[in-house]
Amino acid sequence: MISVLRLGHRISRDKRISTHVCLVARAFGADEVIMTGEKDDSLLRSVNDVSDSWGGEFKIRYEKGWRPVLKEFKEKGYEIVHLTMYGLPIQKKLKELKSPSDKLVVVGGEKVPGEVYEIADYNIGVGSQPHSEVAALAITLDRIMDGIELDAAFDNAKKRVVPQKKGKKVIESR
Ligand SMILES: C[S@@+](CC[C@H](N)C(=O)[O-])C[C@H]1O[C@@H](n2cnc3c(N)ncnc32)[C@H](O)[C@@H]1O
């Protein structure tokens, strides 16, 4: 199981990027996202709408505080993988990250509290340059899963893309 914790969502500033965090988590094989920060019902709804149309078992939920979430996942035996430009290079820690244990991948927003760095089992950098939680999450999931997530089937999809050399083909079932 791979869950993703999104820290510190702000409705006014993060709507688009947090939505992309959730869509990347779903498309790249994570099982769920837990949103923290401000409660954004329209974001939860739009991610659920995507899952409803495009299938799969992906879950999204909101929790007000991140501390209880980290505690919950620690108690469940998950390894906490915090993505940060200050962390150890992902390419050097892949063996540990590919272990069979369940993982909670944590992505931040503007400022991540120091406590998160302490609680995390791994602080992992996708390069040491500042970029984006969306890119960091996508690369991390893809490296952990060796690309097999790109072949995943999403059950009970109402819409499926039929890949085309040119143009778009979508099969819709009711
Ligand atoms: C706007 S960035 C803030 C950059 C931040 N100073 C940091 O610690 O990575 C928001 C989030 O993107 C992710 N992120 C950005 N650059 C990253 C990198 N090079 N490696 C891993 N994660 C990164 C982190 O999860 C970070 O909390």
Side-chain angles (χ1 to χ4, degrees), residues 83-86 107-109 112 117 124-127 129-133 136:
L83 302 184
T84 166
M85 62 187 281
Y86 305 107
V107 294
V112 175
Y117 292 74
I124 295 294
V126 180
Q129 299 298 316
H131 48 80
S132 143
E133 48 272 55

Side-chain angles (χ1 to χ4, degrees), residues 82-93:
H82 169 224
L83 302 184
T84 166
M85 62 187 281
Y86 305 107
L88 300 177
I90 188 167
Q91 64 275 23
K92 300 254 164 69
K93 300 302 283 178

Side-chain angles (χ1 to χ4, degrees), residues 1-2 77-79 95-103 144:
M1 290 286 286
I2 299 186
Y78 279 58
E79 288 181 338
K95 198 165 163 219
E96 291 96 319
L97 296 179
K98 286 182 179 193
S99 76
S101 14
D102 297 326
K103 310 265 180 313
I144 289 177

Side-chain angles (χ1 to χ4, degrees), residues 2 10 18 20-21 23 25 27 38 56-57 66 73 76 83 92 101 122 131-132 140 147-148 152 166:
I2 299 186
R10 297 159 300 175
S18 291
H20 287 185
V21 164
L23 295 182
E38 294 175 2
E57 303 294 320
W66 51 267
F73 279 84
K76 288 198 288 193
L83 302 184
K92 300 254 164 69
S101 14
Y122 301 101
H131 48 80
S132 143
T140 300
I148 58 166
K166 292 188 184 188

Side-chain angles (χ1 to χ4, degrees), residues 47-61:
V47 173
N48 279 328
D49 286 348
V50 169
S51 297
D52 187 51
S53 295
W54 295 95
E57 303 294 320
F58 185 75
K59 304 249 180 315
I60 180 165
R61 68 176 154 112

Side-chain angles (χ1 to χ4, degrees), residues 6-130:
R6 203 289 189 255
L7 299 173
H9 173 68
R10 297 159 300 175
I11 294 177
S12 58
R13 298 187 55 180
D14 298 329
K15 197 175 253 315
R16 195 171 157 80
I17 195 155
S18 291
T19 302
H20 287 185
V21 164
C22 298
L23 295 182
V24 160
R26 176 183 171 275
F28 286 66
D31 299 284
E32 66 171 339
V33 166
I34 299 108
M35 294 293 306
T36 63
E38 294 175 2
K39 185 161 194 265
D40 188 345
D41 288 326
S42 80
L43 183 149
L44 301 187
R45 227 177 3 257
S46 71
V47 173
N48 279 328
D49 286 348
V50 169
S51 297
D52 187 51
S53 295
W54 295 95
E57 303 294 320
F58 185 75
K59 304 249 180 315
I60 180 165
R61 68 176 154 112
Y62 169 77
E63 297 290 340
K64 193 167 166 41
W66 51 267
R67 272 191 203 86
V69 178
L70 291 182
K71 186 164 180 278
E72 170 197 332
F73 279 84
K74 279 262 180 191
E75 284 169 4
K76 288 198 288 193
Y78 279 58
E79 288 181 338
I80 312 292
V81 180
H82 169 224
L83 302 184
T84 166
M85 62 187 281
Y86 305 107
L88 300 177
I90 188 167
Q91 64 275 23
K92 300 254 164 69
K93 300 302 283 178
L94 267 184
K95 198 165 163 219
E96 291 96 319
L97 296 179
K98 286 182 179 193
S99 76
S101 14
D102 297 326
K103 310 265 180 313
L104 178 70
V105 180
V106 182
V107 294
E110 197 175 41
K111 178 120 179 60
V112 175
E115 207 179 324
V116 174
Y117 292 74
E118 294 307 315
I119 296 171
D121 297 293
Y122 301 101
N123 289 292
I124 295 294
V126 180
S128 299
Q129 299 298 316

